[in-house]
């Protein structure tokens, strides 16, 4: 009977260890996705800011139209970040 219990304990231990490693790998993957999404949002903010500044400087549109362009650009960036994350 004793070798049977040792085998059962070994199998249970192996299962628990694989669970721990799997959850750690998943956490790392989620962390990388969050970082990529954050980088995407930050890049989008910078691009939207420069787009609005160029629009205002060149006087291509009214200020409200430039603001709408900036909002639209930022919304696209947020959606890209969501696509990365989820």
């Amino acid at each position: 009977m004793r070798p049977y219990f040792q085998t059962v304990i070994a199998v249970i231990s192996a299962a628990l260890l694989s669970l721990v490693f799997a959850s750690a790998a998943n956490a790392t993957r989620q962390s990388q996705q969050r970082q990529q999404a954050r980088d995407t949002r930050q890049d989008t903010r910078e691009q939207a800011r420069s787009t609005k500044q160029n629009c205002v400087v060149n006087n291509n549109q009214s200020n409200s139209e430039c603001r709408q362009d900036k909002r639209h650009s930022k919304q696209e960036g947020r959606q890209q970040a969501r696509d990365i994350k989820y």
Side-chain angles (χ1 to χ4, degrees):
M1 288 289 262
R2 189 171 191 125
Y4 173 74
F5 289 119
Q6 289 176 344
T7 305
V8 169
I9 290 173
V11 168
I12 291 173
S13 297
L16 288 174
L17 280 174
S18 66
L19 243 165
V20 167
F21 288 127
S23 66
N26 189 35
T28 301
R29 191 176 321 109
Q30 286 178 338
S31 172
Q32 290 171 346
Q33 289 172 340
R34 280 194 308 270
Q35 183 63 41
Q36 287 176 339
R38 188 178 310 119
D39 291 343
T40 300
R41 284 191 303 272
Q42 287 174 350
D43 292 342
T44 300
R45 273 188 227 120
E46 291 172 11
Q47 291 171 356
R49 201 172 294 130
S50 67
T51 300
K52 183 181 178 194
Q53 288 171 350
N54 290 338
C55 178
V56 170
V57 168
N58 295 334
N59 206 13
N60 293 338
Q61 301 170 334
S62 69
N63 190 36
S64 64
E65 290 172 334
C66 292
R67 195 169 46 243
Q68 290 298 325
D69 288 346
K70 180 181 177 185
R71 283 187 187 142
H72 182 70
S73 297
K74 285 177 71 174
Q75 188 60 36
E76 286 176 352
R78 288 185 199 111
Q79 187 58 48
Q80 288 174 354
R82 283 186 206 106
D83 293 342
I84 291 170
K85 219 170 142 182
Y86 303 111

